[in-house]
Amino acid sequence: MMESVQRVVEEVTTAARQRGVAVSVAVVDQAGHLVAFHRMDGALAGPIDVSIKKARTAALFGTDSDVLGQGARPGGAIYTLEHTNGGLIGFGGGVQLRRADQGIGAVGVAGATVEADEELARLGAAALR
């Protein structure tokens, strides 16, 4: 598992460097426990927690953070869900990690734009396939 996790982190950081951004990358297991973390040189401190919460959100609920966030908006069926489980994130950048169609954890990326975080997280998740 650790070798696979390293591939995810390396894919994200390589792609981030190519785009000229510095991000934090968190990888959690299926239960949302941190198994790997990397903060790139120059990345801000605030996104550390955000990257972990994005990954936990995707792992704990078995769906990407942006998808879950659609129902967690004001008036949504799961509004305020983000206040559970020690804090969740309902916007892009948390992507499930899957192997053989089974969820094995998630990757969370924070520090760039939401769109860039999402793209980088998807690239990281694709490194397992």
Side-chain angles (χ1 to χ4, degrees):
M1 172 78 167
M2 285 310 291
E3 185 177 305
S4 298
V5 167
Q6 276 308 116
R7 274 201 318 266
V8 171
V9 172
E10 288 171 12
E11 183 69 27
V12 171
T13 57
T14 298
R17 254 187 240 99
Q18 291 170 348
R19 289 160 177 75
V21 296
V23 298
S24 288
V25 184
V27 179
V28 299
D29 63 16
Q30 194 172 9
H33 298 288
L34 191 64
V35 294
F37 177 83
H38 181 75
R39 178 181 172 201
M40 296 175 66
D41 289 343
L44 297 172
I48 293 170
D49 188 51
V50 175
S51 67
I52 295 168
K53 286 182 178 177
K54 285 179 179 184
R56 287 186 68 247
T57 299
L60 290 175
F61 289 91
T63 188
D64 295 349
S65 60
D66 64 337
V67 173
L68 188 73
Q70 292 172 18
R73 293 185 179 132
I78 55 174
Y79 181 55
T80 71
L81 181 72
E82 292 166 329
H83 300 288
T84 68
N85 293 285
L88 303 172
I89 299 285
F91 49 87
V95 174
Q96 273 195 297
L97 297 177
R98 302 186 71 76
R99 183 173 283 142
D101 255 2
Q102 184 173 6
I104 61 168
V107 58
V109 178
T113 65
V114 172
E115 294 80 13
D117 289 349
E118 178 71 16
E119 178 187 359
L120 292 168
R122 290 195 181 284
L123 287 170
L128 290 183
R129 296 186 184 111

